[in-house]
Amino acid sequence: MFNLFSKKPPANPNVKQDDAHTYRVRVRTRPHAEVVEFRFTKGAHIGVDDDGTYIFRKPVVSPQHFDRGELTVRFNRHYAVTSTDAEGLDFIPVSDWE
């Protein structure tokens, strides 16, 4: 009727939603294992992808050793995280940093 009993998709284990507009991700660079955290918002950092969904794409440069990589978080039209991809990086699950 009003989808009262429908199951919500599970939250992505790599992305933490701080509030209705703010997300956080932590990644570890592969060469030197430096941890880099990103905080991004709907209004300022997330853009529209070609198919009408939303995407956050960010080049990553670690502060100490200048390791490089790229972080991509994809959202559906309701801003639910659908996938996370990383080149040259490993995601740190939210359960490990809380």
Side-chain angles (χ1 to χ4, degrees):
M1 181 171 166
F2 294 106
N3 291 332
L4 295 174
F5 300 107
S6 64
K7 291 184 179 179
K8 290 178 72 176
N12 189 291
N14 300 322
V15 180
K16 180 177 181 184
Q17 187 170 2
D18 289 338
D19 58 36
H21 303 284
T22 309
Y23 300 87
R24 280 194 294 152
V25 172
R26 286 187 186 174
V27 292
R28 182 176 288 120
T29 62
R30 287 192 184 140
H32 293 99
E34 284 188 72
V35 176
V36 182
E37 181 174 309
F38 289 96
R39 181 181 176 273
F40 50 100
T41 62
K42 290 180 184 178
H45 305 105
I46 299 174
V48 179
D49 203 5
D50 295 335
D51 60 356
T53 58
Y54 299 102
I55 188 168
F56 170 72
R57 182 175 287 137
K58 184 76 173 173
V60 177
V61 179
S62 66
Q64 186 175 5
H65 295 285
F66 302 109
D67 297 335
R68 296 185 179 276
E70 184 174 271
L71 165 69
T72 305
V73 180
R74 295 184 184 278
F75 301 85
N76 65 14
R77 294 176 187 205
H78 303 287
Y79 287 99
V81 177
T82 57
S83 69
T84 54
D85 300 313
E87 294 178 18
L89 309 165
D90 295 315
F91 284 96
I92 302 173
V94 175
S95 60
D96 290 353
W97 49 282
E98 281 193 331

